[in-house]
Amino acid sequence: MSDGTVLVINSGSSSIKFQLVHPDTSESVAHGLIERIGETDGHIVYNHRTGVEDRSLPIADHRAGLKMVLAIVAEVGRPLSEAGIIAVGHRVVHGGDVFYSPTLIDDGVVKAIADLSNLAPLHNPANVIGIEVAREELPDVPHVAVFDTAFFHTLPAAASTYAIDREVAKANQIRRYGFHGTSHEYVAGRVADFLGKDTAELNQIVLHLGNGASASAIKGGKAIDTTMGLTPLEGLVMGTRSGDIDPGIILHLNRNSGMKVDEIDDLLNRRSGLKGLSGVNDFRALLALIEGGDEYAKLAYDVYVHMLRKYIGAFIVQLGGVDVITFTGGVGENNVDVRRDSLAGLSRLGIDVDQVVNEAKSRDERRISSAESAVAVLVVPTNEELAIARAAKALVAAL
Ligand code: ADP
């Protein structure tokens, strides 16, 4: 039975991920994905206790997709409205300067999230549609928004401020907001539990390496720096995003080749990073190309690791020394090479990865540093859905 569960919805521009999670037991009761919304080859996958429904069909829009899922859920079990759900938790990308903590959704909150779309034009509008449809379909349960930016609200001004004209920055809400906050916060908490310490005692670096990638420096449980900025484009090299580049490149592209802002947006967000350098954005495909001797793929890997090392070094200094470095996200949790190469040759800094342990296959939280390593190096699987479910439950319980 799914009584006491939270439905977590992550509504993106052309896909919706959803999961029914038990916040206390961490059990994922059911989960699914609606893909290629708006295209003729739409796809719905719904994994539940007794099987998997996998259907390919055109999905006109987010509303149609969610309605189809609800119909499938009712077909194979109880309708969701009767499934004992205590809350719906929505992942919202940008909370701007407005939302710093999980927030009970009402019409005003939906409008405020929509109003922040200028800061996250690729993400917030899709989040709003997900919220609107879910509120229509499940009107009797509380809906809670959990913001990707919230954890980085504590960044000191020196870390959140860009050195540009302050009036221009203010008028345009320009500052470092940071993203993947739910994951960084969740992982930092797991790390403390794993080490048997309180987060207050630890200087941590968390490396969230998925399709998107970001690093954070966390002192005493509070973020003091992070790689993503006004948008999720800044920082580490990612699957399709460039990460840090000289801002002058944008001006040069415009002046030199006449590229317009939307074309540059597409270039930097969708055609750069690993994909731009090697033709593939998926790390496993990149590794396969490297094995086949592809030089572009090798360079893409080297650029990726170079940027990662640059930020690890920067964050060790910002923290005044680090106690623990943790890898998470699809690449961080699974890729032996990135973990080895990003921390190679750092024994003088007290960082030493045990390569035998690093290469051992596991899905568990684990330590991969050697007994001699003064700095603990961990692998901790992230679980944003569980973190959102727990945040939603905590808020609802306090109502
Ligand atoms: P998202 O940012 O979309 O949540 P994930 O955290 O799932 O992404 O990470 C996706 C990335 O993880 C992809 O580049 C994928 O190739 C990589 N990845 C997943 N499994 C493995 C694996 N076993 N070995 C290497 N890379 C992996």
Side-chain angles (χ1 to χ4, degrees), residues 4-18:
T5 54
V6 174
L7 175 65
V8 178
I9 295 182
N10 181 355
S11 176
S13 54
S14 67
S15 69
I16 304 175
K17 285 189 212 157
F18 59 95

Side-chain angles (χ1 to χ4, degrees), residues 210-212 281-284 329-331 334-335:
N211 277 316
N281 63 295
D282 189 286
F283 226 90
R284 279 165 292 195
V331 176
N334 296 299
N335 191 268

Side-chain angles (χ1 to χ4, degrees), residues 10 17 91 180 208-213 239 241 274 281-287 304 328-337 361 363 382 384:
N10 181 355
K17 285 189 212 157
R91 174 176 183 237
H180 288 152
H208 175 113
L209 311 176
N211 277 316
R241 294 184 215 139
L274 299 176
N281 63 295
D282 189 286
F283 226 90
R284 279 165 292 195
L286 185 81
L287 296 177
Y304 183 97
T328 193
V331 176
E333 290 165 32
N334 296 299
N335 191 268
V336 171
D337 310 73
K361 285 220 179 316
R363 290 185 168 274
T382 193
E384 287 164 286

Side-chain angles (χ1 to χ4, degrees), residues 180-294:
H180 288 152
T182 307
S183 174
H184 285 276
E185 184 175 21
Y186 171 81
V187 169
R190 295 298 314 162
V191 166
D193 285 353
F194 182 91
L195 296 175
K197 301 228 159 122
D198 195 290
T199 47
E201 303 170 62
L202 293 170
N203 283 357
Q204 302 198 37
I205 294 176
V206 175
L207 306 168
H208 175 113
L209 311 176
N211 277 316
S214 62
S216 65
I218 303 171
K219 197 174 190 64
K222 291 203 162 130
I224 62 155
D225 208 349
T226 190
T227 52
M228 286 178 166
L230 172 79
T231 76
L233 187 53
E234 193 181 354
L236 302 175
V237 175
M238 309 182 213
T240 64
R241 294 184 215 139
S242 61
D244 289 349
I245 57 167
D246 176 355
I249 293 172
I250 296 169
L251 312 178
H252 176 72
L253 283 172
N254 175 260
R255 292 194 185 113
N256 193 57
S257 71
M259 284 178 84
K260 303 275 186 303
V261 64
D262 287 345
E263 294 171 86
I264 299 175
D265 187 336
D266 184 59
L267 174 79
L268 298 181
N269 274 298
R270 298 192 193 85
R271 293 194 284 126
S272 294
L274 299 176
K275 187 174 175 67
L277 291 173
S278 72
V280 297
N281 63 295
D282 189 286
F283 226 90
R284 279 165 292 195
L286 185 81
L287 296 177
L289 285 179
I290 293 172
E291 274 201 7
D294 186 306

